[in-house]
Amino acid sequence: MNLLEKYLTTRKLTENICQPLQTEDYVVQPIEDVSPPKWHLGHTTWFFETFILQANFNLYKDFDPNYNYVFNSYYETVGARVIRTDRGNLSRPTVMDVYKYRAYVDEAMVKFLACEPSEEVSNLLQLGINHEQQHQELLWYDIKYILGHNPLFPAYADENIESELKINVLNNEFSCIKAGVYEIGYNGDDFCFDNELGRHKVYINDFEISNSLVTNKDYLTFIEANGYQNFKYWHAEAWDWVNKQQIKAPLYWHLENGEWFRYGLSGLKPINLDEPVCHLSFYEAAAFASFMGMRLPTEFEWEVAASNFEWGKLWEWTESAYLPYPGFEKAPGAIGEYNGKFMVNQKVLRGASLATSPAHGRPTYRNFFHPHLRWMYSGLRLVK
Amino acid sequence: MNLLEKYLTTRKLTENICQPLQTEDYVVQPIEDVSPPKWHLGHTTWFFETFILQANFNLYKDFDPNYNYVFNSYYETVGARVIRTDRGNLSRPTVMDVYKYRAYVDEAMVKFLACEPSEEVSNLLQLGINHEQQHQELLWYDIKYILGHNPLFPAYADENIESELKINVLNNEFSCIKAGVYEIGYNGDDFCFDNELGRHKVYINDFEISNSLVTNKDYLTFIEANGYQNFKYWHAEAWDWVNKQQIKAPLYWHLENGEWFRYGLSGLKPINLDEPVCHLSFYEAAAFASFMGMRLPTEFEWEVAASNFEWGKLWEWTESAYLPYPGFEKAPGAIGEYNGKFMVNQKVLRGASLATSPAHGRPTYRNFFHPHLRWMYSGLRLVK
Amino acid sequence: MNLLEKYLTTRKLTENICQPLQTEDYVVQPIEDVSPPKWHLGHTTWFFETFILQANFNLYKDFDPNYNYVFNSYYETVGARVIRTDRGNLSRPTVMDVYKYRAYVDEAMVKFLACEPSEEVSNLLQLGINHEQQHQELLWYDIKYILGHNPLFPAYADENIESELKINVLNNEFSCIKAGVYEIGYNGDDFCFDNELGRHKVYINDFEISNSLVTNKDYLTFIEANGYQNFKYWHAEAWDWVNKQQIKAPLYWHLENGEWFRYGLSGLKPINLDEPVCHLSFYEAAAFASFMGMRLPTEFEWEVAASNFEWGKLWEWTESAYLPYPGFEKAPGAIGEYNGKFMVNQKVLRGASLATSPAHGRPTYRNFFHPHLRWMYSGLRLVK
Amino acid sequence: MNLLEKYLTTRKLTENICQPLQTEDYVVQPIEDVSPPKWHLGHTTWFFETFILQANFNLYKDFDPNYNYVFNSYYETVGARVIRTDRGNLSRPTVMDVYKYRAYVDEAMVKFLACEPSEEVSNLLQLGINHEQQHQELLWYDIKYILGHNPLFPAYADENIESELKINVLNNEFSCIKAGVYEIGYNGDDFCFDNELGRHKVYINDFEISNSLVTNKDYLTFIEANGYQNFKYWHAEAWDWVNKQQIKAPLYWHLENGEWFRYGLSGLKPINLDEPVCHLSFYEAAAFASFMGMRLPTEFEWEVAASNFEWGKLWEWTESAYLPYPGFEKAPGAIGEYNGKFMVNQKVLRGASLATSPAHGRPTYRNFFHPHLRWMYSGLRLVK
């Protein structure tokens, strides 16, 4: 698939994800971390308009100069932006206008890419496509949050599109990895993010890592042993979080008449005990590991062991903080803001989820979130 | 016009006010005080469903039992409700669903009112109609706020539907009122709110009241004399508000290249100096009066003097706190929550505005808002 | 007693109130409304230094020019000030230094007053004395709060200096007052505050007012009838306050093993049922009145009826908002900030308390607090 | 020195640090991170009382059972505690009482240690002594903060006890370290904290590390190049912090008439350009490194290189997140809460400061703070 095909396929997929939504669902922002779907549609388009068309295509005229203000996210280099908590207050541009904006930019991109782009533009296009794929994943998270926090619990789809979570559970067998110096980081020729680069050596001690993700059944033992009420399993600031936010179960879990339900994209359904537990914060993942007398893997252990087990259904919390690899360098200009500026106070997750673009399914991929967040498809695997 | 006709006319008008909106405009809640238009449409309908149909019409079946949870506002008697700051997070029910809800309830009301209602039900129906008329006015405020705080400054309508604000200015002449005991409160036979009842005597001193509202021109002298930077005109908590919120002009005013603009329903336009100044808080109204060496009228002075001047374009701040009249009594049940529970920390406004239902245009009408609010059509008149 | 004697007596009394304190008790500020006793000692001194000595006494040299910054409270005219919530962060000047500051200013005042002061200075001196007397009362409130919110519950004194609260309860008999026009406001020749001036006519309806304050016994019936859990007795914002602050009883009440105790200046003691109930907010006073099917008096009713009953043990909440009397005028300069700037969002209390200077015990005195506050000696009397 | 001597020396030193304080200085808590000196005196005593005397000495009687409630810090195992932000509201127990408490416990400790303690008790005693030494360092930070944020800028001492900060600057020469596998962690026989244990291998790449700390002169170039106004040097959340907190210079720096001063323990003095820059947050340290085109060392790089340069005047920020070493295990019981529960969202600092107990001056010591904090003696060293 050439780059233009990749571009068009990606753009189409984003719209397909939104297809079942009502206009109203595109607009709301129930919490700061969740962006309105309309914003994702516009922001990913703004990326191509700003970094490719405006910068490289003389014939290009802006769709609307105000859109830079509305759809810039965190690129300080490129001017003022709507602060994140305000995104849900914007009824305009309308959903229809945003789709027109997408079509307008796509048409210009097709014209522009009729001539072979320079290598620099190709790289930017690659980045823009990967950027939009990342927002596709965020769209899933945010749509689920918006529908799952509505008192009417509307379904996104009738069929259970999350059903593939019922993966094989392998009796919790562990793989043993031997101590030694291993190479970490991306070393292929395809696209990867800057934070994966700088392949380098890491010394790793002997460890054993579970071949299965922790299941709802496993996690219920923690809930039923009053794990959420016992400080000894929790980090100090996790314990504050549990108490201030009154956390008692994973996100989307609801206890009704003594039975546990969870909201999924097909609606509110009873918990399936054999599914891997999902929508946990790092705080909860670490507390559960402590309860089990085990721990989470580091991101290096995970990468070294990844060929031993199936992965890709849920992002897996690691113990590792999100830090630069040796030799990490920011790209110059706005693109340089992509990853490096987030390298403090966040935790690495490894693997991929059912909402992840297959193009991102590589064992060196470094996802990252603050340790209290859990609206993404996050689970865990134990190490001893 | 009989009650059923009044009902249907009122219901239709509410929908007409919303007619120019895009679906997205119905959904957002940019600040706590502003409700999504969708919510107003649903809440006014819920009032008739709950207090008339459910309570009195055996044949009535709920449109959707979850709607009580979504559209109850502050009636603690009638069950759980969506807290006010969450209204803007709800994408469902959709706008279309809410219009269906309205049609469903209207149809049931027509059937129910085919038989002559009891006096009690007639009174409730009167209250429901007046309640919806109050929400029509709030709809104007909230629509203006939603559009006027969007970075694209979309117009609600091309023509200047606020143009009637250009009222005659009468050279600031003052009417003199003589001291004495006056009767205050409603004493007609038509509908009025409980807070207007208990007609009672009040002793009033000699005073002079302006026949004109304060204009933009007048108010600019205050701005240009650095009134917003001089504590001596302000109440202590007003001064905190000015500084914390960085207030420098009335709401919707924007200074661009040294010229003042204001957002109105037809878009962003230069200030018209001859219009009465609008969208002021009580704090600003009182500071301006202090700057002029005058004061605001009490609500009793205003009521006594009202026959001397034109009123009805803008609500007029008074010095009076919103308190019960002698002999005020709460109605029993949920209806009793209508007015009395707000009688602390709010200020009375008298008159009416261009957004007010003509049915509410009586000189005994008591409107009330917290002293820092200014998204309603509020102006002022001076007394010396 | 001449003015100098009054001055010296007042100054001495302030220090006597603090005499039982430990150095540490002078320093802390557990909530924003409570000021450290050290600050009261300095601030009252600063008032005389700034408005009398610096302004009128050529020979006077500042004790320390930084003290204006530390001890100014809210006089915007007179320069920067330590914001209120920061007062409890200041360990310096030390308590000893503040006492030296007092002695220094007192000595200068004695010298300055050796010559007969002008009438203007006499008036300022009167105001300064009354100002310090007001702070004496605040000292009692703040000391009680500081000691009463310490987990060790230290006593201020062994003997029960609040014992005089055990006043005669007169079987709740009511005085009947006839409707008519009454004169309200101060009309004597002695000192009064600017907010009492402008004696004016008020029309009052027939009413009956209790000769007794509400007692702990009365108030317990409200608690035991779950009054704190029933929204119908409460204003809307009172109900928010009760729920957010988890209010379940008057301030200083503690339920231990089913028995009610209250912290008093002599320590934690069982509730005395015959005492008038104390340390209520306006919200609670109004809710209790609603529970009893009665109401609070207006400040005008209270003033008219005051000769019919004993008062002066507790401040009594009224229904009246704190507003200017007709003809109220601010004095020019910093003194003009004394009262007028607080005339919004506060409620009037009438009477006096056991902590009030006898010099303030006049029936026209207007005390005022925000409706949620209750660390002062506040009670209530019912009207029907 | 035997353990009892160490105990007594340590206890004495704590009191010596406080010796120049006024009683009032012991009481205040200007921000949440700063504890009142009184609290440190009590809390370190409570540690010995709770974990040694109550647990092991039959004859011991509590000094006051309420003190557990007042002086427990974060040991959830051992009962309720005064929440951290409330510490500054407590005027009792008085400073005198806290010194009596110290003397009482010291006397009991002397009696108890007359007999040779078990190994378990010896270990606890070691831990208690090290714990008190850590609080000695916090005392320096907190005293400096309390005095340095007082508008009178009182000096702690006349002589410049921070003068040893004027260390030799070695022309910014760099030491080169060769890549390879290194051993990290404590491997001696003396006391160390649990977080230093688990000596383990780490692979390190080639790097060069400065032999000197960054100086005030160096840092001024960053300020003067508008480094605090240029987002490109900052992490995303650092940039929020700079803007929300209006940060423009290191803590304790004041710009007066174009000249930089800094508050030190001997008062407000002009900046010395040759001193190492101090009182920086991690955010500032990382931004400065980015400005210089360099980076901070990891804690492993620092430990490997430490023999190449002088260290011990200031704690040095590293890039490393505070995480458990391989094989880290929490001790059972309350002691297990010592370090592990903080291993999220904090950064490691290495070295020691002029306020650190010499007993803590080992190259494996891991200090840790949140990245926005800067009231400790923190500086930085660059790596390229």
Side-chain angles (χ1 to χ4, degrees), chain D residues 51-158:
Chain D
F51 295 118
I52 295 185
L53 294 174
Q54 288 177 355
N56 300 286
F57 192 25
N58 292 336
L59 300 173
Y60 185 72
K61 278 190 188 158
D62 283 358
F63 181 75
D64 184 327
N66 288 310
Y67 279 29
N68 178 52
Y69 181 69
V70 174
F71 289 125
N72 185 359
S73 60
Y74 52 79
Y75 298 89
E76 305 271 356
T77 316
V78 206
R81 61 197 158 112
V82 172
I83 58 165
R84 190 158 185 172
T85 44
D86 275 0
R87 288 179 191 164
N89 298 337
L90 300 185
S91 60
R92 312 289 179 94
T94 63
V95 174
M96 193 69 83
D97 288 339
V98 175
Y99 277 112
K100 281 183 195 154
Y101 176 42
R102 289 182 68 88
Y104 179 90
V105 165
D106 286 349
E107 196 178 358
M109 287 290 287
V110 169
K111 277 187 202 142
F112 173 61
L113 294 172
C115 309
E116 183 72 16
S118 69
E119 193 187 329
E120 190 201 336
V121 170
S122 287
N123 287 342
L124 272 170
L125 185 52
Q126 273 284 18
L127 182 64
I129 289 167
N130 278 274
H131 173 255
E132 182 143 351
Q133 287 165 336
Q134 290 184 310
H135 279 276
Q136 286 167 0
E137 179 150 11
L138 290 171
L139 265 171
W140 285 112
Y141 302 169
D142 293 355
I143 289 168
K144 185 168 183 180
Y145 196 97
I146 288 165
L147 300 178
H149 285 78
N150 189 295
L152 310 180
F153 289 123
Y156 170 84
D158 289 339

Side-chain angles (χ1 to χ4, degrees), chain D residues 83-384:
Chain D
I83 58 165
R84 190 158 185 172
T85 44
D86 275 0
R87 288 179 191 164
N89 298 337
L90 300 185
S91 60
R92 312 289 179 94
T94 63
V95 174
M96 193 69 83
D97 288 339
V98 175
Y99 277 112
K100 281 183 195 154
Y101 176 42
R102 289 182 68 88
Y104 179 90
V105 165
D106 286 349
E107 196 178 358
M109 287 290 287
V110 169
K111 277 187 202 142
F112 173 61
L113 294 172
C115 309
E116 183 72 16
S118 69
E119 193 187 329
E120 190 201 336
V121 170
S122 287
N123 287 342
L124 272 170
L125 185 52
Q126 273 284 18
L127 182 64
I129 289 167
N130 278 274
H131 173 255
E132 182 143 351
Q133 287 165 336
Q134 290 184 310
H135 279 276
Q136 286 167 0
E137 179 150 11
L138 290 171
L139 265 171
W140 285 112
Y141 302 169
D142 293 355
I143 289 168
K144 185 168 183 180
Y145 196 97
I146 288 165
L147 300 178
H149 285 78
N150 189 295
L152 310 180
F153 289 123
Y156 170 84
D158 289 339
E159 54 179 331
N160 184 357
I161 59 171
E162 293 167 306
S163 64
E164 56 269 53
L165 275 175
K166 288 173 208 157
I167 55 173
N168 295 327
V169 176
L170 306 162
N171 295 319
N172 248 345
E173 287 168 15
F174 284 76
S175 299
C176 301
I177 310 291
K178 284 286 160 212
V181 172
Y182 290 87
E183 298 267 329
I184 296 294
Y186 187 73
N187 71 341
D189 295 327
D190 291 333
F191 176 86
C192 76
F193 285 107
D194 53 357
N195 61 12
E196 300 169 63
L197 287 176
R199 187 156 169 94
H200 64 287
K201 296 197 177 78
V202 170
Y203 185 90
I204 289 173
N205 291 280
D206 288 338
F207 69 99
E208 294 177 48
I209 188 163
S210 171
N211 293 331
S212 300
L213 292 176
V214 169
T215 64
N216 288 335
K217 190 175 173 187
D218 302 330
Y219 200 78
L220 263 177
T221 63
F222 174 66
I223 295 178
E224 288 168 0
N226 296 319
Y228 280 96
Q229 288 78 49
N230 191 334
F231 69 88
K232 78 176 177 184
Y233 304 125
W234 300 84
H235 288 98
E237 60 191 60
W239 187 239
D240 282 351
W241 174 79
V242 161
N243 287 293
K244 275 195 200 137
Q245 308 292 322
Q246 307 248 49
I247 305 292
K248 289 171 180 142
L251 189 66
Y252 298 120
W253 285 39
H254 299 267
L255 188 63
E256 296 191 359
N257 303 318
E259 197 188 352
W260 282 106
F261 289 75
R262 67 124 182 74
Y263 175 81
L265 288 171
S266 57
L268 198 66
K269 301 279 168 64
I271 291 286
N272 180 331
L273 290 176
D274 296 330
E275 278 179 8
V277 63
C278 184
H279 293 298
L280 294 182
S281 66
F282 170 81
Y283 293 146
E284 290 164 295
F288 176 78
S290 171
F291 169 76
M292 295 294 285
M294 295 193 243
R295 61 175 179 86
L296 303 178
T298 66
E299 63 168 320
F300 310 114
E301 290 170 339
W302 191 96
E303 188 170 326
V304 165
S307 57
N308 291 268
F309 46 75
E310 266 187 60
W311 54 268
K313 299 305 185 201
L314 294 182
W315 289 102
E316 306 180 20
W317 282 110
T318 74
E319 177 63 63
S320 298
Y322 180 48
L323 296 176
Y325 281 174
F328 172 76
E329 284 191 41
K330 287 192 198 178
I335 298 300
E337 296 188 51
Y338 204 87
N339 268 312
K341 68 201 262 186
F342 298 114
M343 290 180 175
V344 70
N345 279 350
Q346 308 212 36
K347 285 287 191 184
V348 174
L349 299 97
R350 287 300 194 96
S353 84
L354 55 97
T356 310
S357 170
H360 294 218
R362 49 185 184 275
T364 59
Y365 193 99
R366 307 175 76 199
N367 202 349
F368 53 91
F369 282 100
H370 284 100
H372 66 287
L373 294 176
R374 52 187 201 155
W375 93 114
M376 58 285 190
Y377 287 99
S378 53
L380 80 153
R381 181 186 305 275
L382 295 172
V383 162
K384 60 183 180 187

Side-chain angles (χ1 to χ4, degrees), chain A residues 63-78:
Chain A
F63 181 75
D64 183 328
N66 289 309
Y67 280 30
N68 179 50
Y69 181 66
V70 175
F71 290 125
N72 185 359
S73 59
Y74 52 80
Y75 298 89
E76 307 271 355
T77 314
V78 207

Side-chain angles (χ1 to χ4, degrees), chain A residues 22-25 27-30 66-67 69-70 88-96 146-147 150-152 154, chain B residues 22-25 27-30 66-67 69-70 88-96 146-147 150-152 154:
Chain A
Q22 300 290 334
T23 300
E24 293 85 344
D25 301 327
V27 180
V28 299
Q29 180 176 34
N66 289 309
Y67 280 30
Y69 181 66
V70 175
N89 298 338
L90 300 184
S91 59
R92 311 290 180 93
T94 63
V95 174
M96 192 69 81
I146 288 166
L147 300 178
N150 188 295
L152 310 181
Chain B
Q22 301 290 335
T23 301
E24 293 85 344
D25 301 327
V27 180
V28 298
Q29 178 176 35
N66 288 310
Y67 279 29
Y69 180 68
V70 174
N89 298 338
L90 300 185
S91 58
R92 312 290 179 92
T94 64
V95 174
M96 192 68 82
I146 288 165
L147 300 179
N150 188 295
L152 310 179

Side-chain angles (χ1 to χ4, degrees), chain C residues 38-80:
Chain C
K38 191 176 75 157
W39 186 87
H40 288 292
L41 293 177
H43 169 68
T44 48
T45 305
W46 168 91
F47 190 101
F48 292 111
E49 184 183 53
T50 303
F51 296 118
I52 295 185
L53 294 175
Q54 290 177 352
N56 300 285
F57 193 25
N58 293 336
L59 302 174
Y60 185 73
K61 279 192 187 153
D62 283 359
F63 181 74
D64 184 328
N66 288 310
Y67 280 29
N68 178 51
Y69 181 69
V70 175
F71 290 125
N72 184 359
S73 60
Y74 52 81
Y75 297 90
E76 306 270 355
T77 315
V78 206

